[in-house]
Amino acid sequence: MKLHDILIIGAGLAGMRAAVAASPDLDVAVMSKVHPVRSHSVAAQGGINAALGEDDSWEAHAYDTTKGGLYLGDQDAIEAMCREAPEDILELERLGVIFSRNEEGRIAQRPFGGAGFPRTCYAADRTGHAILHAMYEQLLKRRIAVYEEWYVTTLIVEDGVCRGVVAWDLIHGGLHAIRAKAVILATGGSGRVFLTSTNAVINTGDGMALAYRAGAPLADMEFVQFHPTTLKGTGILITEGARGEGGYLLNTLGERFMKVYAPQQMELATRSTVSLAIGQEILEGRGVDGCVLLDLRHLGRQRILERLPQIRALAMEFAGLDPIETPIPVRPGAHYQMGGVRTNQWTETGIAGLYAAGECACVSVHGANRLGGNSLLETIVFGRRAGIRAGEYVRTVAPQALRNDQLTTEQARVQRLLAQEGSVRAWQLREELGQTMSLNLGLVRTQESMSAAISAISALTQRAASLTVQDKGQVFNTDLVQALELECLLDVAETIVTSALARQESRGAHYRSDYPVRNDQQWLKHSLIRRTFEGTVLTHEPVTVTRFPPA
């Protein structure tokens, strides 16, 4: 049994930034179910926010973030993120991230939705790719141990303290208990609860489910952001940077319809506003084959090749068109989970020794609607904070006697899964779950649709108890991993629907046609959902308001 000071679950930007931030005299390890540079952070396109401009300020960034999140974000955490953002960007530059440059040679910044200033730093339209590879170089430079292609099945929690994980070694097979004085969850989002999503197939809410089963609360799970522009038929992300560079959204009449919904900000209104506007245009018959058109032609060939090369390549490969000559058919798609494992602004959860950062966590800085460019920033700021705070914690913790009871329990669970025979397969249930969530908890929700989703999820959970893993082997058993991921998806889906049913208002990404108005008097509060021995318990807690009262 191996023992580390800090074990980080997830090798995306939050996880790697935490590893780099932890003190070099500590034994730090990173565990990931994929190779680190295949983490979903690599898919982030548009940029990362920071108030670097002479006319900009962290206070303005904090205000835009608070307002964009419909005042549901905790303002102490928002202020910490926005205040520390400029230094974190400069640190990334020192670590080797090659940002695009303006004419003066400074880090280039483009406008993004909901922002009062062009504060989104970028590396063409491959920003996540650029940062992730630079961070992986730092992991190699520091010789930080990486458990590559390991899948965590449970947290080891003893006497209310997290002391490690039980994980399946995909390459060699078999379960192992990995001990640690502190565990940091950095497992990313849960977009795959929906059928069509911008998320990678690995984004199955694993970290959220692990914390939830261990008794830590999840917060604000009802707030799932739909990105306004995903490629027709595939759900592939078409970055907000395309609109930041000046792209137009057109309906079938050739109109820039955002002038009706957000006449001042137009295509750069907040994501929830643009998504709902696109949905309305399609609903009222002004769509183009279930989509609207993203028109970049007026930007010119040189600008598209320089600023949006990946978007052009994606459109050519997956839609068979060149955006230099033809508009791109787009529609909203599931993109980002604003909720997650509830933490304070130093990433501490409700369980001692357990931390969470990035999309799997809810600090909460995004409130009811995340601004583009703030997700990469969250991974860097709070990944760093997690590494620092976990490092401080482990210096106070003495080594504990080793126990094997949770390893034994997990071995029995996996053996039971492998032994079951029948016709129900994990991929079938996963597809049915995605269809249920997309149909009933898409852009618009109602009491009726969400009640139908709860019933369907309950039935799927019962069927999942007898699913069959056809591959009985030990090595690279992806069939087994899919079965374990399905359990996480079902848990996360239940928390989303339960929280959404309770919130009787519309706010940001949570739009209920039966309660279409935002209600600060009753619902300016966080949803907290826990799993207890008695069942699921939903409670609420106040939002932290400092300098920006709700308006």
Side-chain angles (χ1 to χ4, degrees):
M1 184 182 295
K2 294 186 178 179
L3 173 65
H4 301 283
D5 290 321
I6 301 173
L7 179 62
I8 300 163
I9 313 304
L13 284 179
M16 286 203 269
R17 188 65 187 91
V20 170
S23 179
D25 66 326
L26 296 174
D27 180 355
V28 179
V30 176
M31 182 176 285
S32 174
K33 67 178 177 181
V34 294
H35 186 281
V37 298
R38 291 181 66 84
S39 301
H40 185 58
S41 300
V42 81
Q45 297 169 346
I48 180 169
N49 291 340
L52 299 180
E54 293 179 3
D55 297 329
D56 202 357
S57 68
W58 74 261
E59 291 92 344
H61 184 187
Y63 172 70
D64 289 342
T65 299
T66 302
K67 180 184 175 185
L70 285 300
Y71 298 92
L72 196 74
D74 287 321
Q75 293 178 30
D76 55 347
I78 290 171
E79 289 171 18
M81 180 179 77
C82 298
R83 187 189 303 112
E84 295 171 10
E87 183 54 42
D88 271 322
I89 295 299
L90 298 179
E91 177 65 13
L92 288 177
E93 185 184 33
R94 287 191 288 269
L95 292 174
V97 177
I98 304 173
F99 287 107
S100 295
R101 300 281 162 175
N102 61 20
E103 293 174 355
E104 288 124 32
R106 298 176 184 271
I107 294 173
Q109 293 182 282
R110 56 167 55 124
F112 254 41
F117 293 87
R119 66 169 65 95
T120 305
C121 313
Y122 59 93
D125 56 355
R126 299 187 179 98
T127 312
H129 183 277
I131 302 175
L132 192 79
H133 279 260
M135 295 308 300
Y136 186 55
E137 290 170 2
Q138 294 301 315
L139 243 63
L140 297 177
K141 178 181 178 181
R142 289 164 170 76
R143 298 185 178 180
I144 292 169
V146 178
Y147 291 86
E148 188 180 305
E149 295 183 306
W150 285 62
Y151 184 80
V152 177
T153 66
T154 191
L155 299 173
I156 297 174
V157 179
E158 296 168 352
D159 305 319
V161 180
C162 187
R163 305 195 192 279
V165 304
V166 175
W168 179 271
D169 179 353
L170 274 77
I171 296 175
H172 303 100
L175 282 168
H176 302 266
I178 310 296
R179 285 275 170 171
K181 294 179 181 178
V183 174
I184 300 173
L185 295 173
T187 55
S190 55
R192 283 292 151 182
V193 296
F194 292 89
L195 187 64
T196 303
S197 170
T198 64
N199 285 201
V201 292
I202 58 174
N203 284 25
T204 50
D206 303 335
M208 300 174 200
L210 289 170
Y212 179 58
R213 293 169 192 162
L218 306 185
D220 298 339
M221 293 298 289
E222 64 267 41
F223 295 103
V224 180
Q225 183 171 79
F226 279 67
H227 196 286
T229 55
T230 73
L231 193 60
K232 175 188 175 183
T234 65
I236 292 171
L237 176 66
I238 303 297
T239 174
E240 191 165 329
R243 287 173 283 133
E245 293 296 337
Y248 299 154
L249 288 173
L250 306 176
N251 60 20
T252 191
L253 304 176
E255 301 169 332
R256 287 181 68 187
F257 57 86
M258 284 308 300
K259 65 186 178 185
V260 176
Y261 303 93
Q264 291 183 311
Q265 294 175 304
M266 295 290 285
E267 284 86 1
L268 291 179
T270 60
R271 287 179 174 178
S272 59
T273 301
V274 180
S275 290
L276 285 168
I278 292 172
Q280 193 67 21
E281 290 295 299
I282 294 169
L283 183 67
E284 294 179 3
R286 293 186 294 276
V288 181
D289 192 21
C291 299
V292 297
L293 299 177
L294 176 62
D295 191 357
L296 307 178
R297 294 173 295 178
H298 56 285
L299 300 181
R301 181 183 187 88
Q302 183 176 348
R303 190 168 184 181
I304 290 172
L305 292 177
E306 178 189 339
R307 304 282 183 90
L308 301 167
Q310 182 174 239
I311 293 309
R312 180 175 184 246
L314 289 171
M316 292 175 72
E317 184 168 349
F318 292 98
L321 59 87
D322 187 343
I324 293 173
E325 302 169 352
T326 309
I328 306 170
V330 294
R331 60 176 299 145
H335 179 58
Y336 188 88
Q337 173 57 267
M338 268 79 74
V341 184
R342 184 59 166 147
T343 75
N344 62 18
Q345 59 175 295
W346 280 100
T347 74
E348 296 162 317
T349 71
I351 297 174
L354 181 65
Y355 303 79
E359 190 175 349
C360 75
C362 181
V363 183
S364 132
V365 288
H366 305 307
N369 177 50
R370 176 176 70 76
L371 295 189
N374 271 354
S375 59
L376 287 185
L377 179 60
E378 179 194 21
T379 65
I380 297 302
V381 171
F382 293 103
R384 172 179 52 75
R385 282 179 157 233
I388 292 170
R389 184 50 60 95
E392 293 170 349
Y393 169 79
V394 300
R395 296 185 192 280
T396 69
V397 178
Q400 300 294 315
L402 302 181
R403 286 156 44 184
N404 285 320
D405 45 348
Q406 283 187 268
L407 175 60
T408 303
T409 300
E410 285 302 288
Q411 287 171 332
R413 179 164 81 103
V414 169
Q415 287 307 312
R416 187 170 62 252
L417 260 177
L418 291 171
Q420 286 175 177
E421 299 288 349
S423 58
V424 180
R425 301 294 306 283
W427 65 267
Q428 294 170 320
L429 299 185
R430 182 163 166 165
E431 190 165 305
E432 288 182 42
L433 174 65
Q435 290 171 338
T436 294
M437 293 295 286
S438 293
L439 178 65
N440 296 300
L441 278 98
L443 285 174
V444 180
R445 305 163 175 185
T446 64
Q447 177 87 16
E448 185 180 9
S449 72
M450 292 185 288
S451 297
I454 280 283
S455 298
I457 291 167
S458 177
L460 286 169
T461 302
Q462 289 179 358
R463 289 168 61 197
S466 57
L467 66 79
T468 295
V469 176
Q470 286 191 343
D471 184 349
K472 309 298 183 183
Q474 295 282 303
V475 177
F476 272 109
N477 191 336
T478 54
D479 199 9
L480 172 63
V481 172
Q482 273 209 348
L484 296 168
E485 286 176 331
L486 174 65
E487 294 178 359
C488 294
L489 287 167
L490 288 166
D491 281 347
V492 169
E494 182 189 21
T495 67
I496 292 171
V497 184
T498 302
S499 302
L501 262 170
R503 184 173 289 273
Q504 296 180 340
E505 66 158 355
S506 289
R507 186 185 298 268
H510 174 70
Y511 183 78
R512 289 188 60 161
S513 57
D514 48 356
Y515 292 95
V517 179
R518 182 179 125 200
N519 184 347
D520 284 345
Q521 188 172 356
Q522 289 184 294
W523 287 104
L524 187 67
K525 53 190 178 183
H526 297 296
S527 306
L528 293 183
I529 188 164
R530 290 179 175 84
R531 174 174 283 179
T532 69
F533 288 116
E534 290 77 34
T536 297
V537 175
L538 183 67
T539 58
H540 296 91
E541 70 177 20
V543 173
T544 301
V545 177
T546 57
R547 62 178 70 204
F548 307 120

